[in-house]
Amino acid sequence: MSKSYRYTLGSKTYQFESLAQLMAKATPQRSGDSLAGVSASCAEERAVAQMTLAEVPLKTFLNEALIPYEDDEITRLIIDEHDTHAFSPIAHLTVGDFRNWLLSDHATSAVLTSIRAGVTPEMAAAVCKIMRNQDLILVAKKCHVTTAFRNTIGLPGHLSTRLQPNHPTDNVNGIAASILDGLLYGSGDAVIGINPATDNVAQAIKLMQLMDEVIEKYQIPTQSCVLTHVTNTIECINAGAPVDLVFQSIGGTEATNTSFGFNLNTLAEAQAAALSLKRGTVGDNIMYFETGQGSSLSANAHHGLDQQTCETRAYAVARKFKPLLVNTVVGFIGPEYLFDGKEITRAGLEDHFCAKLLGVPMGCDVCYTNHAEADQNDMDNLLTLLGVAGCSFVMGIPGSDDIMLNYQTTSFHDALYARRVLGLRAAPEFELWLAKMNIMTDTKQHILSDTLPSQFARSLKTLSGGAL
């Protein structure tokens, strides 16, 4: 049952009609919440809401659902799978106490791993709202989430990359050239993942076969993915296509996912189908999810919640299916939801913190659209902050410019910069391959070879309308 929350500041009493309203008012400023009419009216109201939220016991989130249990399968997932034993060490805390505990030396990596199944998305979203950027970075860095398929992603001290060779016409030579470019920069250990320009089963199979041929020919310890709808991937599996990872964009409410054309049963069917192929060599994490603040609002499926809380609820869906990769496409939806570089930076750090706290292997598409008040310097800042925070992976795209999706993100050389300046490594299996292929002469220092690897050179000489 919903109850109101009050806070008296001097002679003025503030009242928040529900936990959902309190959460929304406590959220740092962003354009999407203003568009939805749920944000604080001024900085003072936001600060009061944050102080009020800090006094809310964590147990409240188990008794007061932000979206009714009977109306939403994500709420049912969160409540039904909550681990009371894992929750017990923090069950006595308020949101403010939880923040202080997370920042303390008592909250070690091992302890954070032990309590993650007891933390609900709403608890994570709430504590996030009263944390500074440096708090989000410090705690996220302590949260280790490791996954594996053909290599190992998320180890401490490592930063992986998704090689994203999109092409506006799905031209095979254009895609192959981008793959080669990325590999020569040491990109692609998280996944070689293509957003198809023509999204249907036949085209998805064609692209899957292309990437499979490249991976097999050069024995690359990585995985491929065509970012098509989950139902298309199921059809591809049934047709005998070489499917490594199953992709789907996900949201934090049932209504959002319905607008995307799937439900939890659909994901379970796809996961089972992909697992039956047994294509992983070092692990069986076979799902790849993308999220992003504002998706529920854009689908009119947010139930009056703020966009950061909706986003964090999506991580319950991700956690359920034990994915290899999850990333927030943080600035992709546009300035209607995250207006400028400051809001994009904050959202990226929020998403990464909340996901890692919940045990989700989070990466980030550090990106913006050209009508946002942001530029590549903002992306450099966020990329560096996420690298410090222990982000699992980032995007690698030729020249930072996706010529098919028409947005700005991080390039192959941006990822190389992050590894060099922060002393981060590629996935260990992939790093060995980079040395074996003579792509890098020193994998620890990320020193690139001056010459084209001999196997690639031979392939380029014979290239005539096909893959590498």
Side-chain angles (χ1 to χ4, degrees), residues 6-15 41-42 44-45 48:
R6 293 186 177 186
Y7 193 97
T8 299
L9 181 65
S11 60
K12 186 173 182 179
T13 298
Y14 288 82
Q15 180 162 316
S41 60
C42 61
E44 181 177 289
E45 184 183 29
V48 170

Side-chain angles (χ1 to χ4, degrees), residues 120-142:
T120 68
E122 291 85 352
M123 294 175 195
V127 74
C128 175
K129 296 176 192 299
I130 63 169
M131 298 175 79
R132 293 169 56 187
N133 286 2
Q134 69 171 240
D135 299 339
L136 301 176
I137 293 169
L138 176 61
V139 178
K141 190 174 182 64
K142 296 192 289 184

